[in-house]
Amino acid sequence: MQNQKTFDAASITTLALRLVVGWTYFSAFWRRLILENKLIPDEAGYIGEKFNHFLPNSLGLKPIIEYLVTHPDALWINMVAFTIIEGIVGLAMILGFFTRLMSIGIFLLALGILLASGWIGTTCLDEWQIGILGLAAGFTLFLTGSSYLSLDSYFIEKKARFTQTKWFRFLGSGELKLASYKRTLLIIVVFIFGLTLYTNQYFHGGVFGTLHNKSVKPKLEINDLKIDNNKLSFEVYRIEGVDVYGSFLIGITLQDASGKNLVALNGSDLAKLSPETIHNHYVAKVKPGAHSLVIPLGAKATIKIPIENFDVQKGSYTLTLTDISGLTWSAQL
């Protein structure tokens, strides 16, 4: 009797973890398709634009993300597939159905979240915590399976034929003989902890040195500055800042070496910029707002502004972009 009580207590130890982790992933599907459809391109809240936000400082996945945000059709297909996979994995984990297979899915999804968006989080390193805890949870649930309030245990108790197979013991919740794999399991534990320390340091300087958070202040890069055919042309790319709202440009000026303004646009002018002057490269779009030029996180665009009666002379020219926060960014030609 005592052994039975001990077994029952042990079998329920990971139930809360299974339910919470399962809902964490299933809720992504629930939010995007049931509560609100966030899979419609060019509408507010489109998940593809959120995915674009990950691009500037992602780790190892930047080429994949950049390819997708420059190919909207492929991006949409992947966002739909990703959402469906999260829904299936999360629901199956809640139900305890093929628990170990779903735990592998959770591990891989969490790894993708960690590497792609681990740098985003205005206060508590939000995405990094979600990713790294998902890795640890996926690994733990793979080891334990689910033996209480789960479909796996139901089929085992009913002695379903497929539960007697080797593949079910590995992918479902059958008994695993792990004693001979102790060294391998320890290596995986060390890998997860090592990845925790490495990404915490890489994204946030959280292990040693100076702490930094790239999700607090906007930061813009200016590239390909040139003046040609009476047009000022430059590429602007927002690489840091809060992901839920854009950088709001209220000033663009171009000065010559003497400090004379050749271009001086304020917020009202930028709010009236013609769409023809802005060529967006990604899904997240630079566009005129009510009182400024709005630049979402991860957005990159080439902007061409006409300069009337301008003759290019030898010398230096300085382009300055001014954010509503008072931050400025400059580039010289």
Side-chain angles (χ1 to χ4, degrees), residues 59-165:
L59 176 61
L61 299 179
K62 190 173 292 187
I64 297 173
I65 297 174
E66 185 162 27
Y67 174 82
L68 291 175
V69 298
T70 53
H71 295 77
D73 291 341
L75 174 64
W76 182 82
I77 291 171
N78 277 269
M79 292 299 96
V80 171
F82 187 72
T83 299
I84 292 173
I85 290 170
E86 283 187 304
I88 292 172
V89 168
L91 182 60
M93 183 58 72
I94 291 172
L95 297 175
F97 186 58
F98 284 96
T99 304
R100 289 197 173 99
L101 177 61
M102 297 305 121
S103 72
I104 295 173
I106 285 174
F107 188 94
L108 295 176
L109 289 169
L111 182 62
I113 292 170
L114 175 66
L115 298 180
S117 61
W119 65 280
I120 292 179
T122 55
T123 55
C124 299
L125 316 186
D126 308 340
E127 303 292 342
W128 177 80
Q129 290 181 339
I130 292 171
I132 207 66
L133 289 174
L135 283 179
F139 176 66
T140 300
L141 289 168
F142 179 83
L143 296 181
T144 63
S146 55
S147 55
Y148 188 77
L149 292 181
S150 70
L151 289 180
D152 283 347
S153 64
Y154 171 80
F155 288 122
I156 290 173
E157 289 173 6
K158 293 296 182 180
K159 297 183 179 180
R161 182 176 299 178
F162 69 89
T163 64
Q164 311 304 313
T165 61

Side-chain angles (χ1 to χ4, degrees), residues 139 143 177-189:
F139 176 66
L143 296 181
K177 297 179 180 179
L178 297 174
S180 58
Y181 296 98
K182 181 178 179 180
R183 180 173 297 179
T184 300
L185 296 176
L186 286 175
I187 290 173
I188 296 174
V189 170

